[in-house]
Amino acid sequence: MNHTWVTVPVGSPFPLENLPYGVFTPAGGGARVGVAIGAHVLDLAAVLADDTFAHGSLNPFMAQGRARWQEVRAAVVRLLTDEAHRPDVEPHLHRLDAVELGMPFEPADYVDFYASEHHAANIGRMFRPGSDPLTPQWKHLPIGYHGRAGTLVPSGTPVVRPSGQQRPSGEGALPGFGPSVRLDIEAEVGFVVGTPSALGTPVPVDDFREHVFGVTLVNDWSARDIQNWEYVPLGPFLGKSFATSVGHWVVPLEALEEARVAPPAREHELRPYLVEKEDWGLDLTLEVRLNGHLVATLPFAAMYWTPAQMLAHMTVNGASLRTGDFYASGTVSGPGEDQRGSLMELSWGGAEPVELPDGTVRTFLEDGDEVTITATAPGAGGARIGFGPVTGRILPAA
Amino acid sequence: MNHTWVTVPVGSPFPLENLPYGVFTPAGGGARVGVAIGAHVLDLAAVLADDTFAHGSLNPFMAQGRARWQEVRAAVVRLLTDEAHRPDVEPHLHRLDAVELGMPFEPADYVDFYASEHHAANIGRMFRPGSDPLTPQWKHLPIGYHGRAGTLVPSGTPVVRPSGQQRPSGEGALPGFGPSVRLDIEAEVGFVVGTPSALGTPVPVDDFREHVFGVTLVNDWSARDIQNWEYVPLGPFLGKSFATSVGHWVVPLEALEEARVAPPAREHELRPYLVEKEDWGLDLTLEVRLNGHLVATLPFAAMYWTPAQMLAHMTVNGASLRTGDFYASGTVSGPGEDQRGSLMELSWGGAEPVELPDGTVRTFLEDGDEVTITATAPGAGGARIGFGPVTGRILPAA
């Protein structure tokens, strides 16, 4: 890849090899689609003279399909590398610290998977002691469920501590009710669908690139006490539905070619609809910070199921896709004790409080706590690309 | 209520006391909002000279809030009762058999509850033999989960038999894969949200009328073999997400005043957020027909949880509502053997095939089968009002 004429600070998550898409509002302007480069965002509607980008959502562009996504990426690379374009383009670069960033896409349906073996086994041990930590189907299909699309919020949105029922303290007692005292995070990776599909027609696993536009980070805030009391037999509901934070930047799949890796070895023969020709494991490294302190480093390459397998599974029954459908990986956890993507796991259900370098300890989140998730991945030509943070601070219960 | 000048056939589900809303497309015209009266639909955009109704969705009107809903209902009653309006209004009545009916609203999130004690106990006995049929929280909160909003389809849409994984036949065997052989129905009642709410602020149980616009019928098609293999621990996913059929007509809450009844006696003291000042049990009677034969008659008044309680529970954690949010009751079953709203229950998991009057028998659905759910309720002044059918036919697997 060529060199860009834009000054990209050393260590920026947004070198030329990345070019993630987001929605920004410049001072005195309307929300529109931009591409991040270094410390700037490029106003696409202006430089491409295309109204598709003059919206507060990526959906109109994502709906145009993969050929158009490639064409636009190539055009942006040309504009940012050829000095001849600089005089026309430079006026449409806005400093990131001078614009407001928003929700990058308009969500249709939201599905959350459970694709980390280490996370599923950890949670199984804590929620269902005495049973096998993994349920019998776990290595035959990527388990998932629908979440609440209406409470997907962009990074930076404060999270009000939810209230709800909690398991009764003893036989015959009424359930507890009040603010959650086991408020947690789940560090995840999310996939945004661009190209829709027809009802009744499964999407083949090898068509992943045709449908998925890009990747962003997710914090699936979880109230463990509410979840633990409600979730049998129909799954998590209010323990998750109060807020799910989504990153401002959607990294296009094309920027992640160098990050593709084989997923872990399969323990069973897979049904053909889950067998990939291409490897769609992704070698992303996530970092979780609590009040600024690094508390976990998470290897996304350790996920048992790939996003291509998730997509194939989600549609194998003929369920259709819409532009804006969003699905997340589930908590990313690795085998190590500092590779766990939730406080539930890091503090082992509260039994082993996490000590922070400033001397404070945490089992679950306290009011005022701020959690930030970032990630990096190998990009083209040896570059390191980043996802931009997904962050949120806990407000006291209403 | 006054008499209407429109000829309403005897036994019509749509007398003046009903006035349900739907979306219709007349020959040569665009989709728009109408109100059903007898064998006709009234073009609201035309007679009220209001563009809010010139859309293929009720959402813009529903978003205007309860005062406006009451105003429009009163205006429609005036137009249909005062002979003085007849010359201006009559040209905008279209025969129902000459128009196409569509999806009445644009769905935001979709939640499915599990509010019938009889249904939950029947399913518990079959899915979890040896355990208590009801899980410990069942009578403390209305259990629910999010479904796929993108596969809500209007009545009449054919349903392609889904394929998926099924539980392995024995220890060490791979899961089965293929078209579902336990394809089922769930006869339910659905509630459409009009007025949104703010993130972080629960909706009080007594504000039900302020937020819920109306009621329609639902068939939550279910592939029991897919569901049984996938659903622990995160709940139903592909066993439900291939299609959920929704009635063409949304009966406004105001038409259901006479149907309000007390729900069954509570077994436990309820948490205050679930205690209703008004009774929102609803005395609807559903009928399920398979290939034209009545197979079940379902008493909605037997539901343990009311739709007002469902709404309060769904938002008690601060989850926000959007216009177009839709939530369904879960399968309506009563105590009787002919009061079961799914084939799973009617055939007791396939062990007791249902005999139809034409000599055919069914455990689960066969290709070509057509299922139709209807319902009636007491209306004002001794009238009987109806919901219009929700119907669908099974197509062979793709």
Side-chain angles (χ1 to χ4, degrees):
Chain A
M1 200 172 265
N2 300 319
H3 185 72
T4 174
W5 49 259
V6 181
T7 303
V8 175
V10 174
S12 165
F14 308 134
L16 185 66
E17 293 78 7
N18 194 348
L19 302 179
Y21 293 89
V23 166
F24 74 102
T25 306
R32 62 196 71 184
V33 171
V35 161
I37 176 78
H40 291 83
V41 54
L42 179 64
D43 182 340
L44 285 191
V47 295
L48 298 178
D50 183 339
D51 275 356
T52 311
F53 302 102
H55 294 274
S57 152
L58 281 166
N59 291 41
F61 172 49
M62 294 197 304
Q64 292 180 337
R66 186 176 172 216
R68 177 67 179 151
W69 308 338
Q70 292 174 315
E71 191 176 275
V72 168
R73 183 170 171 85
V76 170
V77 169
R78 277 195 306 275
L79 293 174
L80 296 177
T81 52
D82 187 342
E83 279 281 349
H85 292 299
R86 183 168 181 170
D88 295 333
V89 171
E90 203 157 22
H92 301 293
L93 282 176
H94 298 257
R95 285 194 55 87
L96 279 172
D97 56 16
V99 302
E100 196 181 318
L101 299 174
M103 183 75 190
F105 58 94
E106 189 185 347
D109 271 299
Y110 167 47
V111 167
D112 197 20
F113 284 91
Y114 194 51
S116 158
E117 178 177 359
H118 305 287
H119 170 70
N122 287 336
I123 293 290
R125 284 188 195 101
M126 287 184 272
F127 268 38
R128 290 176 298 282
S131 309
D132 277 342
L134 296 183
T135 49
Q137 86 284 37
W138 201 95
K139 289 196 169 173
H140 294 288
L141 57 82
I143 295 178
Y145 71 102
H146 286 90
R148 191 164 186 83
T151 52
L152 291 169
V153 296
S155 175
T157 305
V159 173
V160 176
R161 181 181 297 272
S163 291
Q165 289 194 26
Q166 296 139 10
R167 193 176 286 280
S169 53
E171 194 71 34
L174 290 180
F177 182 87
S180 170
V181 295
R182 290 166 78 88
L183 184 56
D184 199 356
I185 61 160
E186 294 199 331
E188 307 195 8
V189 176
F191 301 87
V192 192
V193 171
T195 308
S197 71
L199 186 64
T201 306
V203 174
V205 67
D206 294 320
D207 282 5
F208 174 63
R209 289 173 193 267
E210 300 301 323
H211 291 275
V212 168
F213 173 77
V215 184
T216 188
L217 298 180
V218 176
N219 187 344
D220 178 28
W221 307 92
S222 299
R224 301 298 179 189
D225 37 7
I226 296 173
Q227 181 186 353
N228 184 272
W229 172 232
E230 75 180 354
Y231 88 106
V232 177
L234 299 188
F237 183 39
L238 298 181
K240 303 277 195 169
S241 66
F242 55 94
T244 305
S245 299
V246 176
H248 289 130
W249 297 106
V250 180
V251 174
L253 275 197
E254 284 151 283
L256 293 168
E257 271 303 311
E258 307 297 318
R260 289 177 41 217
V261 292
R266 311 284 98 183
E267 196 170 310
H268 301 291
E269 181 189 337
L270 295 182
R271 285 287 156 186
Y273 79 93
L274 292 172
V275 177
E276 303 173 286
K277 284 205 194 76
E278 291 189 324
D279 286 327
W280 275 107
L282 288 170
D283 181 22
L284 318 181
T285 303
L286 281 69
E287 294 186 338
V288 181
R289 285 179 174 76
L290 174 51
N291 298 332
H293 307 296
L294 183 69
V295 294
T297 303
L298 314 173
F300 193 72
M303 302 297 277
Y304 196 83
W305 297 105
T306 74
Q309 291 172 321
M310 296 176 206
L311 186 74
H313 185 65
M314 186 162 66
T315 61
V316 70
N317 67 346
S320 46
L321 298 174
R322 292 182 291 171
T323 299
D325 276 351
F326 187 56
Y327 64 99
S329 60
T331 308
V332 181
S333 292
E337 290 197 0
D338 59 351
Q339 295 184 324
R340 294 170 175 171
S342 68
L343 288 170
M344 181 81 180
E345 294 164 273
L346 288 165
S347 75
W348 206 253
E352 300 168 15
V354 178
E355 291 183 37
L356 302 179
D358 64 1
T360 58
V361 294
R362 285 291 181 282
T363 49
F364 294 94
L365 294 171
E366 300 188 3
D367 292 345
D369 279 352
E370 185 172 63
V371 177
T372 301
I373 305 165
T374 56
T376 60
R384 193 85 195 159
I385 66 175
F387 281 73
V390 60
T391 188
R393 186 183 292 276
I394 305 302
L395 300 184
Chain B
M1 197 170 266
N2 300 319
H3 186 71
T4 175
W5 49 260
V6 180
T7 304
V8 175
V10 174
S12 166
F14 307 135
L16 185 66
E17 293 78 7
N18 193 348
L19 302 179
Y21 293 89
V23 166
F24 75 101
T25 306
R32 62 196 70 184
V33 171
V35 161
I37 176 78
H40 291 82
V41 55
L42 179 65
D43 182 341
L44 285 191
V47 295
L48 299 178
D50 184 339
D51 275 355
T52 310
F53 302 101
H55 293 276
S57 152
L58 281 166
N59 291 41
F61 171 49
M62 295 196 304
Q64 293 180 335
R66 185 175 171 217
R68 178 68 179 150
W69 308 338
Q70 292 175 314
E71 191 176 276
V72 167
R73 183 170 170 86
V76 170
V77 168
R78 278 195 304 275
L79 292 174
L80 295 177
T81 52
D82 186 341
E83 278 281 348
H85 292 299
R86 182 167 182 170
D88 293 333
V89 171
E90 201 156 24
H92 301 294
L93 281 176
H94 299 257
R95 286 194 55 86
L96 279 171
D97 57 15
V99 302
E100 196 181 320
L101 298 174
M103 184 73 191
F105 58 94
E106 189 185 347
D109 271 300
Y110 167 48
V111 167
D112 198 20
F113 283 91
Y114 193 52
S116 159
E117 178 177 359
H118 306 287
H119 170 71
N122 287 337
I123 293 291
R125 284 188 195 102
M126 286 184 272
F127 267 40
R128 290 176 298 282
S131 310
D132 276 343
L134 296 183
T135 49
Q137 86 283 37
W138 203 95
K139 289 195 170 175
H140 294 288
L141 57 81
I143 295 177
Y145 70 104
H146 286 91
R148 192 165 186 82
T151 51
L152 291 169
V153 296
S155 175
T157 306
V159 173
V160 176
R161 181 181 296 273
S163 290
Q165 288 194 26
Q166 295 137 11
R167 192 175 286 280
S169 52
E171 196 70 35
L174 289 179
F177 182 87
S180 170
V181 295
R182 289 165 79 88
L183 184 56
D184 200 355
I185 61 159
E186 294 199 331
E188 307 194 9
V189 176
F191 300 86
V192 192
V193 170
T195 308
S197 70
L199 187 65
T201 306
V203 174
V205 66
D206 294 319
D207 282 5
F208 174 62
R209 290 173 192 266
E210 300 301 322
H211 291 276
V212 168
F213 174 77
V215 185
T216 188
L217 299 179
V218 176
N219 187 344
D220 179 27
W221 307 92
S222 299
R224 300 297 179 191
D225 37 7
I226 296 172
Q227 181 187 353
N228 184 272
W229 173 231
E230 75 180 353
Y231 89 106
V232 177
L234 300 188
F237 183 40
L238 298 181
K240 303 278 196 170
S241 66
F242 55 95
T244 305
S245 299
V246 176
H248 289 130
W249 297 105
V250 179
V251 174
L253 275 196
E254 287 151 279
L256 293 169
E257 272 301 312
E258 308 296 319
R260 289 177 42 219
V261 292
R266 310 284 97 182
E267 196 170 310
H268 302 291
E269 180 189 337
L270 294 181
R271 285 286 156 188
Y273 79 92
L274 292 172
V275 177
E276 304 173 285
K277 285 204 194 77
E278 290 189 324
D279 287 326
W280 274 108
L282 289 170
D283 181 22
L284 318 181
T285 302
L286 281 70
E287 293 187 337
V288 181
R289 285 180 174 74
L290 175 51
N291 298 331
H293 307 294
L294 182 69
V295 293
T297 303
L298 313 173
F300 193 73
M303 302 297 276
Y304 195 83
W305 298 105
T306 74
Q309 291 172 321
M310 296 176 206
L311 186 74
H313 186 64
M314 187 161 67
T315 62
V316 71
N317 67 346
S320 47
L321 298 174
R322 293 183 289 172
T323 299
D325 275 352
F326 187 56
Y327 63 99
S329 61
T331 308
V332 181
S333 291
E337 291 198 359
D338 59 350
Q339 295 184 324
R340 294 170 174 171
S342 68
L343 288 170
M344 181 80 180
E345 294 164 272
L346 289 166
S347 75
W348 205 255
E352 299 168 15
V354 178
E355 291 183 38
L356 302 179
D358 64 0
T360 59
V361 294
R362 285 291 181 283
T363 49
F364 293 95
L365 294 171
E366 299 188 4
D367 291 345
D369 279 353
E370 186 172 63
V371 177
T372 301
I373 304 166
T374 55
T376 59
R384 193 84 196 160
I385 67 175
F387 281 73
V390 59
T391 188
R393 185 183 293 276
I394 305 302
L395 299 184

